[in-house]
Amino acid sequence: MSLKAPERSVDPVDSGGASGTPKAKKGRDSGGSMVAQRRKLMIPFVGPALLFYLVLFIIPTGAAVWISFNKWAGSGPMTWVGFSNYTALFKDDLFKQALWNTLLLLVVVGVVMFVLAFAMTLVLRDMAGRKIARSIIFFPHLINALVYGVLAGFLFNPGGLVNTLLKPLGVTDPPQWLAQDNLFPLIMLTLTFMTTGYYTTILMAGVDRIPPYYYEDCAMAGANAWQRLRYVILPLTWDVFGVCAVLWTISSVKIFEIVWVFGGSSGSGIPPTQTWTAAVYTYATAFSGESLPAYGAATASAIISLALVTVLVVLIRRVMRRDVIEF
Amino acid sequence: MTSRSARSKTTIAVAGALAFSLGLAACSSSSSGGEGDGKSFTYWSMWKVGEPQQKVIAAAITDFEKQTGIKVNAQWQGRSNLQKLVPALNTNSVPDLVDGPYVKAYPALVATNQALGLKAAYDMDVDGQKVSSLVPEKYLKTINIKLPDGQPWMLPYQIQSDAMWFDAAKYPEIKANPPKTWDEFITVLNKIKAKGDEAPIAADGDIAGYNAAWLSTLIVRNGGPGALMKVAEDKTGQAWKQPVALDAAKDVEQIVKGGFLISGYNASKFPLQQQQWAVNKAALMFNGSWLPTESSTYRAKGFEIASFPFPTTNDSHDSARVDFSGFMVPKKATNAGAAEKFAAFFLGKKYQDLYGTQAKGIPVRQDASISPELAGVQETIKSASSYHQQNDGVAFPGYNEKVFWANSDQLFLGKMTAQQFVDAMVKDQAAYWKAQGK
């Protein structure tokens, strides 16, 4: 069993990459027809996907860049304004605050979540009933953000569950949970709750493919839990962790609905500006409903978010680059 | 060799077919342009199936189809219909008729220069009367629903207004003698506060628009309809220092600092405080004419809903809030004629009565029946000498959400004094207009 495990769990992409070179060499040795065949199949196989990608992603992104240089109410006449949408954004304190909030979510929630996720992988690895435990911790991720928005009222309203439970404990003057200044920390908390299980599950998949004999080695060498994490688990799941970090970066910059439903009557109004993220700023600018839509400014903000994601992802890939350890 | 070329031909054929079908798909979405035959039209409704308003409109559609033979393709989209309309206006498949409130319709259709002038609809006859005579002229003096060429772009069928709502069973004295001026209003609040069994005012402080309504109504009370617009248009922001705005902010501060607002209003989620009001935990609520319907399911037994208009701050300005909701026809509509016919048809007395009694809205026709809860509001509207709109019609891009509401929240939630609020508005508004390139 212990011998089989590593074989089965080897990443298919890795195996393709690792064994691809000798295969290709072999192909070239035997006349190169294989390579030619492959090249020919490239167009019919990749073409449709590429076409869809072009039509659905590349062209709209290009259009967004174009719109961001214009003043436009969504339809009707467009006026070319050059970079002024961008300069206006960087002068707008609210946009800077929204970007700051986005970074707070990315970094603070990200760090807390990954620490929790790693801690849980350690506990869950040799826990009894871990399959059930895994399903349970994954569950919060399946729930629609709207539910959390409604639940927040149920729990944290002045006469809500939390204050009702606090009363017998002698807390007569509980904090104003849902005051505007407390909303953002509450959002961060909820977000941690929502996403930790998801990333724990992915990390667990990485941890599971570590062959048990490494742990047996650890046990024999007398390593403690921290050393096991530091010298076995982290290095061997580094690539999985890298993917998770990239996924989190991408999704955190797009965080929208949780902010939207936490303030402003669970989505029917606009949340207080203190809680806005870049995505909420973009939406409110384009679709506020009670002001003239400013599609130019909104797309400019979206393009800045896109640039931010790109830069962050490249940086993370750089920072996290290690030689993949084969095992 | 032959096999290779055959294969590459197949490749080209497959790719070609795919590209062609994609192209076709792209075309079909925009191929509905051109002139319609006028035998049918498409309607994107702001109501959803099952809502009382939808039922009334659906009943009218059935009668309309029977009488005219025109088929109505109604899509009950709900409140986001106008948001969906904006991108659709860039294609050739646009609905022929849409409806919605002024605040949403103006940005979506008029600011984008996509609204059709509805003179033809206003010239039609309904119940033997001209449609234009059914939309009271006096509303249109301060509420501008006209295009630059003088044609109206909306045919309103309902009005939303606001009032101070209370339980007449519990406060018969307020019903008999409602406070008319701000000072009288404060006296009433003090009396309720002194009694101590309920808070004087309920408010859902998490809804920025509700919070701002206090301030914007007070500004309109101080300076008449258009006063807030004038202040908001000031590129330097200095207009906020004038008494018309500063006094209004001080009045809001008085409400906040006076301890008249229900405890926890600044840290709760809608509709909690509205529900508290409905079960007599607070006496008054300043809210829209939709409140009787919205609170109907949870109002305490014996709650006799009644209202009085927002108090005046001086003798000259007693305008009533009139927010139109109505029908619009996009310029690109291919069956505009048929759509206008239905818009006019819906102003028939039968449907306006149904709208008042069953959908419990305020019909735009003054001779239409109305539910007892809204009779007071309708009376206020009829007797008012002038009219104002929600936000006083201010709709500059992002201004409400990013500048006005953000600061008025701070004032209403007690985190800023009137003076701090005014200073913040001067600064933020000047920055706003500068960013707009003005």
Side-chain angles (χ1 to χ4, degrees):
Chain A
M1 190 64 196
S2 64
L3 275 175
K4 256 185 177 173
E7 224 178 75
R8 190 187 36 182
S9 59
V10 165
D11 193 332
V13 179
D14 277 1
S15 80
S19 56
T21 341
K23 233 187 229 164
K25 249 183 209 155
K26 225 184 270 168
R28 214 174 291 147
D29 291 343
S30 61
S33 73
M34 190 75 170
V35 175
Q37 294 279 18
R38 270 196 184 179
R39 209 167 275 158
K40 227 186 296 155
L41 280 173
M42 177 95 169
I43 298 164
F45 275 95
V46 179
L50 213 60
L51 197 69
F52 275 111
Y53 197 76
L54 190 76
V55 171
L56 297 175
F57 291 100
I58 307 288
I59 293 176
T61 309
V65 173
W66 166 256
I67 291 169
S68 73
F69 291 121
N70 286 278
K71 195 175 154 210
W72 192 40
S75 64
M78 244 190 202
T79 332
W80 177 264
V81 293
F83 278 97
S84 74
N85 282 329
Y86 289 91
T87 49
L89 275 181
F90 282 110
K91 277 187 206 146
D92 185 353
D93 289 338
L94 190 56
F95 179 71
K96 281 183 257 182
Q97 192 197 327
L99 265 188
W100 174 246
N101 282 349
T102 307
L103 291 176
L104 274 183
L105 289 181
L106 169 67
V107 177
V108 177
V109 176
V111 167
V112 172
M113 183 191 74
F114 279 114
V115 167
L116 283 177
F118 267 111
M120 278 206 271
T121 53
L122 294 185
V123 177
L124 282 174
R125 213 188 69 82
D126 14 59
M127 197 175 104
R130 61 200 178 112
K131 282 211 170 125
I132 297 169
R134 270 193 219 187
S135 311
I136 291 171
I137 58 165
F138 191 75
F139 189 67
H141 190 73
L142 298 176
I143 297 171
N144 191 317
L146 192 62
V147 176
Y148 292 106
V150 176
L151 205 63
F154 177 72
L155 290 175
F156 296 113
N157 263 331
L161 189 65
V162 172
N163 286 359
T164 313
L165 290 177
L166 284 176
K167 220 180 218 166
L169 299 175
V171 183
T172 46
D173 193 19
Q176 297 195 308
W177 305 108
L178 294 174
Q180 285 191 349
D181 295 335
N182 296 339
L183 275 181
F184 197 68
L186 210 58
I187 289 169
M188 289 168 82
L189 204 70
T190 311
L191 206 60
T192 314
F193 178 71
M194 274 174 83
T195 45
T196 303
Y198 177 75
Y199 289 100
T200 309
T201 308
I202 300 180
L203 287 175
M204 281 301 288
V207 172
D208 276 353
R209 60 175 199 160
I210 299 172
Y213 48 77
Y214 285 115
Y215 296 109
E216 288 157 17
D217 262 4
C218 283
M220 274 192 282
N224 60 24
W226 164 250
Q227 287 167 325
R228 205 167 55 181
L229 174 71
R230 171 73 185 77
Y231 296 107
V232 176
I233 298 177
L234 268 184
L236 292 184
T237 53
W238 194 253
D239 50 339
V240 178
F241 177 53
V243 170
C244 285
V246 169
L247 283 180
W248 169 247
T249 307
I250 294 171
S251 59
S252 69
V253 176
K254 293 193 294 191
I255 285 166
F256 170 78
E257 76 271 28
I258 186 81
V259 179
W260 197 257
V261 298
F262 250 79
S265 75
S266 297
S268 57
I270 279 196
T273 49
Q274 292 99 313
T275 66
W276 285 17
T277 59
V280 173
Y281 184 96
T282 304
Y283 184 87
T285 307
F287 308 106
S288 68
E290 289 192 16
S291 290
L292 296 179
Y295 275 58
T299 43
S301 147
I303 296 291
I304 292 171
S305 301
L306 183 68
L308 184 72
V309 173
T310 314
V311 169
L312 287 171
V313 167
V314 169
L315 276 178
I316 286 175
R317 302 285 297 174
R318 270 281 156 83
V319 170
M320 309 243 350
R321 187 183 292 161
R322 299 273 193 286
D323 289 328
V324 176
I325 299 169
E326 306 255 350
F327 57 89
Chain B
M1 194 61 195
T2 44
S3 79
R4 185 182 287 179
S5 70
R7 212 175 297 128
S8 64
K9 258 179 210 158
T10 321
T11 312
I12 292 166
V14 167
L18 196 84
F20 180 64
S21 62
L22 269 177
L24 213 62
C27 285
S28 67
S29 67
S30 60
S31 63
S32 59
E35 263 325 292
D37 54 8
K39 294 221 172 73
S40 68
F41 71 89
T42 309
Y43 162 46
W44 285 8
S45 178
M46 70 183 280
W47 309 105
K48 280 193 171 149
V49 175
E51 289 186 283
Q53 294 90 340
Q54 182 265 343
K55 286 179 189 159
V56 175
I57 296 177
I61 287 176
T62 312
D63 291 353
F64 180 76
E65 287 181 331
K66 229 178 270 165
Q67 286 177 27
T68 62
I70 295 171
K71 170 104 185 52
V72 183
N73 173 18
Q75 295 179 18
W76 309 103
Q77 297 196 344
R79 307 300 183 277
S80 59
N81 64 332
L82 291 176
Q83 280 172 8
K84 290 177 191 159
L85 177 69
V86 172
L89 288 172
N90 295 317
T91 69
N92 282 325
S93 63
V94 296
D96 303 297
L97 187 68
V98 289
D99 59 354
Y102 175 97
V103 275
K104 288 189 178 175
Y106 182 83
L109 274 160
V110 185
T112 55
N113 194 19
Q114 299 276 350
L116 188 73
L118 297 182
K119 187 170 181 300
Y122 274 72
D123 285 344
M124 288 174 189
D125 281 331
V126 170
D127 304 337
Q129 285 170 281
K130 234 177 160 196
V131 168
S132 54
S133 71
L134 300 175
V135 181
E137 187 62 37
K138 58 179 186 175
Y139 297 165
L140 305 179
K141 270 187 206 149
T142 45
I143 297 171
N144 183 8
I145 51 167
K146 291 200 172 103
L147 294 171
D149 69 356
Q151 289 199 55
W153 51 267
M154 174 193 262
L155 185 53
Y157 60 77
Q158 79 152 357
I159 291 169
Q160 285 187 324
S161 188
D162 57 26
M164 290 289 173
W165 301 94
F166 66 98
D167 180 1
K170 203 170 172 193
Y171 294 99
E173 72 277 12
I174 297 183
K175 193 182 180 187
N177 187 22
K180 290 195 180 63
T181 65
W182 187 257
D183 294 337
E184 288 172 22
F185 179 62
I186 297 292
T187 310
V188 167
L189 295 182
N190 274 320
K191 263 187 207 157
I192 301 170
K193 195 182 161 194
K195 236 163 97 192
D197 64 335
E198 61 180 322
I201 302 172
D204 276 299
D206 61 329
I207 307 227
Y210 287 0
N211 299 346
W214 282 87
L215 187 67
S216 60
T217 310
L218 278 163
I219 292 176
V220 169
R221 283 283 179 262
N222 290 346
L228 174 62
M229 179 63 96
K230 227 184 264 164
V231 172
E233 275 173 339
D234 178 32
K235 308 293 179 270
T236 63
Q238 296 292 331
W240 282 96
K241 291 181 174 165
Q242 294 166 7
V244 67
L246 180 62
D247 289 350
K250 281 182 181 161
D251 287 345
V252 174
E253 191 183 350
Q254 186 182 12
I255 293 288
V256 177
K257 296 273 157 71
F260 299 129
L261 289 157
I262 191 168
S263 144
Y265 80 102
N266 54 347
S268 61
K269 253 177 139 25
F270 172 87
L272 180 84
Q273 306 303 355
Q274 192 169 303
Q275 290 168 341
Q276 301 282 57
W277 165 81
V279 294
N280 296 120
K281 294 265 175 64
L284 302 170
M285 182 146 204
F286 177 46
N287 209 290
S289 53
W290 54 83
L291 187 65
T293 330
E294 217 173 75
S295 61
S296 62
T297 52
Y298 47 76
R299 267 204 309 273
K301 235 182 176 181
F303 196 112
E304 192 192 311
I305 196 161
S307 68
F308 61 87
F310 195 93
T312 55
T313 54
N314 59 41
D315 295 336
S316 45
H317 302 302
D318 69 339
S319 61
R321 171 168 158 191
V322 165
D323 287 339
F324 286 139
S325 289
F327 290 116
M328 281 78 58
V329 179
K331 264 186 193 165
K332 279 187 176 175
T334 51
N335 293 298
E340 286 182 82
K341 224 179 258 175
F342 177 75
F345 180 82
F346 192 63
L347 283 197
K349 179 92 168 44
K350 180 184 170 190
Y351 309 109
Q352 285 276 292
D353 281 347
L354 279 176
Y355 206 86
T357 52
Q358 304 211 340
K360 306 209 170 178
I362 305 171
V364 77
R365 271 179 80 147
Q366 292 200 325
D367 60 351
S369 317
I370 192 148
S371 65
E373 298 99 307
L374 290 173
V377 180
Q378 195 188 36
E379 210 36 61
T380 306
I381 295 173
K382 274 186 193 170
S383 60
S385 54
S386 63
Y387 300 91
H388 66 266
Q389 293 183 88
Q390 180 180 4
N391 305 334
D392 202 22
V394 172
F396 313 118
Y399 176 83
N400 288 327
E401 295 80 6
K402 294 172 186 167
V403 182
F404 183 44
W405 290 354
N407 284 312
S408 90
D409 267 4
Q410 306 300 309
L411 174 66
F412 192 75
L413 300 177
K415 284 187 270 181
M416 274 185 187
T417 65
Q419 192 58 52
Q420 285 169 330
F421 164 77
V422 162
D423 293 343
M425 280 307 294
V426 170
K427 179 176 151 275
D428 289 357
Q429 185 165 309
Y432 170 82
W433 284 116
K434 205 171 163 214
Q436 298 293 311
K438 298 278 163 68

